[in-house]
Amino acid sequence: MGRHADGLFSALMGPRRRGACARTGKAGSDTARRVEAHLFDAHVFACAIAVSAEDALHENLALGPCLGLDAEALETIIGRYFTPRALACLGVPVGHAPKDEEGAILHDFLHAQARPGDEAARWLAAIIACRALRPNHLWQDLGLRDRGELNRLLATHFPALAAGNTTNMKWKKYFYRRLCEQEGFVLCTAPSCAACDDFDYCFGEETGESRLARTRRSVAHAVA
Ligand code: SF4
């Protein structure tokens, strides 16, 4: 099972990453920054697709309900960031994006916070809204290496939203708190965060092992 996520991530990122890195070294600084930003987005999409495909395989679902995207969006992403052959490596049918109400509310909220004109942000809003329903830290269920990568993703594609998290709240908590404020709800029972028994629940550390690192470790252990 883990072998599938790791293999899919490598199939998506391998050749494109090496080629792009080689070009970066010779390029001017503006071009180098654009290539680096493109590579980072490719890394983010590859991580999310890999762990979502693994969940889909494990839960006997199609990829769409686990990733938050339909086939058209996925094909566009693969065409832009990866080799078209990567579609054959998914190992699961693509299917349709999920239609649950909770995911749709968060999707609409994130979509409205996307950087104007940023197409990648529209796809990421759908992916984040879907993966935020999973039980682990958001960065883990997006397949990222650590919370720092999620910080970078949000600062790049949702800059105003990210800048508003001045107290370094856990990202899922922060999204839902902002959503409640927007709708005029108050879920917090304490007068302030400092006086609240749930402080650690909202602000505790978001550390742990990444899903792809865990996958590689279990694959290495299996072949040892
Ligand atoms: S720590 Fe308490 S008061 Fe602060 S956001 Fe969390 S639940 Fe609300």
Side-chain angles (χ1 to χ4, degrees), residues 169 173 177 187-203:
M169 202 171 191
K173 288 281 162 200
R177 184 167 161 140
L187 291 180
C188 307
T189 51
S192 71
C193 295
C196 183
D197 289 341
D198 287 333
F199 187 87
D200 283 348
Y201 191 52
C202 292
F203 293 95

Side-chain angles (χ1 to χ4, degrees), residues 92-158:
V92 286
V94 175
H96 301 286
K99 301 231 179 303
D100 61 285
E101 193 178 347
E102 187 181 350
I105 291 170
L106 183 56
H107 181 196
D108 290 347
F109 171 75
L110 291 170
H111 191 270
Q113 300 282 341
R115 190 175 59 167
D118 182 346
E119 194 175 22
R122 289 198 294 110
W123 297 320
L124 288 167
I127 292 172
I128 291 169
C130 180
R131 301 304 293 174
L133 298 175
R134 299 255 158 193
N136 303 297
H137 297 316
L138 180 56
W139 67 265
Q140 287 175 314
D141 280 325
L142 287 169
L144 300 172
R145 290 192 189 107
D146 52 37
R147 189 179 193 263
E149 289 193 335
L150 178 56
N151 294 348
R152 178 178 172 183
L153 182 172
L154 294 169
T156 302
H157 295 288
F158 306 87

Side-chain angles (χ1 to χ4, degrees), residues 50-60 66 131 134 141 211:
V51 294
S52 299
E54 181 171 271
D55 288 341
L57 206 57
H58 185 58
E59 295 164 20
N60 203 22
C66 295
R131 301 304 293 174
R134 299 255 158 193
D141 280 325
R211 287 193 45 178

